[in-house]
Amino acid sequence: MGGLVLKLAPKERVLINGVVIENGDRRSRFSIMTPQAKVLRLRDAIHPEEVNTPVRRVCYAAQLVLSGDTEPDQARQQLLRRVEELSQVFTDTDSRRVLADATEALVAEQYYKCLKALRSLLPREERLMAYEQ
C-alpha cells in the first residue's frame, strides 16, 4: 500500500486539495494515492494569531502550501532558509534528524511530511521558551 495513510477519528475534518472533508461517525482510514495532493488535518492547523514563535512560523508557512494559499514554488526556498535558521538553534542530535527529515521532505515537495516533522519540534521549542523566561 503506497501513498499517505490518514486515520481519522469520528467527525474529524481534513482539507484535501482545498476541499474540507468530514469523517462519519466511526473511525476510518484511507490512503491518498496522488503524490502531490495537498492534505491538512484541521485539528493540526495553526491559526494566524498562534504564529508567535520561530517553529510555528515555519509550520504555518508549510501549512499555507497545503491549504493552497501559497504556491509551492514560491514557498520552497523560504521554507528551506527558515529550516536552516532553526538548525542554528536546535543543535541536539534528535532535532537535527527532524530538521534533516523536514528538509528532505521539502526537496521532494512533500509538504505534509515536512509539516509533520516540524510539528514534532513544537514541544521542544515550548520548553526552550519557558526556560528563557
Side-chain angles (χ1 to χ4, degrees):
M1 178 189 272
L4 174 66
V5 177
L6 290 176
K7 297 175 186 176
L8 299 177
K11 300 294 182 187
E12 184 174 357
R13 291 180 178 184
V14 64
L15 182 74
I16 302 176
N17 289 344
V19 177
V20 176
I21 299 171
E22 182 176 89
N23 192 24
D25 294 329
R26 293 189 217 150
R27 291 183 141 310
S28 64
R29 170 187 164 135
F30 61 96
S31 298
I32 306 291
M33 301 306 291
T34 305
Q36 301 305 322
K38 297 174 182 169
V39 179
L40 176 65
R41 286 178 179 272
L42 294 182
R43 72 173 184 202
D44 294 337
I46 297 173
H47 299 278
E49 63 274 4
E50 298 171 336
V51 182
N52 53 8
T53 67
V55 175
R56 285 180 176 275
R57 279 192 280 281
V58 181
C59 287
Y60 188 70
Q63 176 181 302
L64 289 176
V65 173
L66 293 171
S67 68
D69 293 317
T70 302
E71 287 298 318
D73 292 338
Q74 295 173 348
R76 189 171 27 266
Q77 276 306 113
Q78 182 182 18
L79 282 165
L80 285 167
R81 268 194 303 280
R82 288 183 175 182
V83 168
E84 178 59 31
E85 289 169 1
L86 291 177
S87 73
Q88 304 303 312
V89 176
F90 293 95
T91 57
D92 62 282
T93 305
D94 192 44
S95 295
R96 291 277 186 179
R97 183 189 48 77
V98 168
L99 292 168
D101 291 347
T103 300
E104 194 174 299
L106 279 172
V107 170
E109 298 181 28
Q110 296 175 334
Y111 293 93
Y112 183 83
K113 235 180 187 178
C114 173
L115 178 60
K116 186 176 177 183
L118 291 170
R119 285 185 64 80
S120 71
L121 293 176
L122 288 170
R124 292 175 198 171
E125 179 184 53
E126 193 174 309
R127 287 191 301 273
L128 283 171
M129 300 290 256
Y131 180 75
E132 290 179 0
Q133 291 179 356

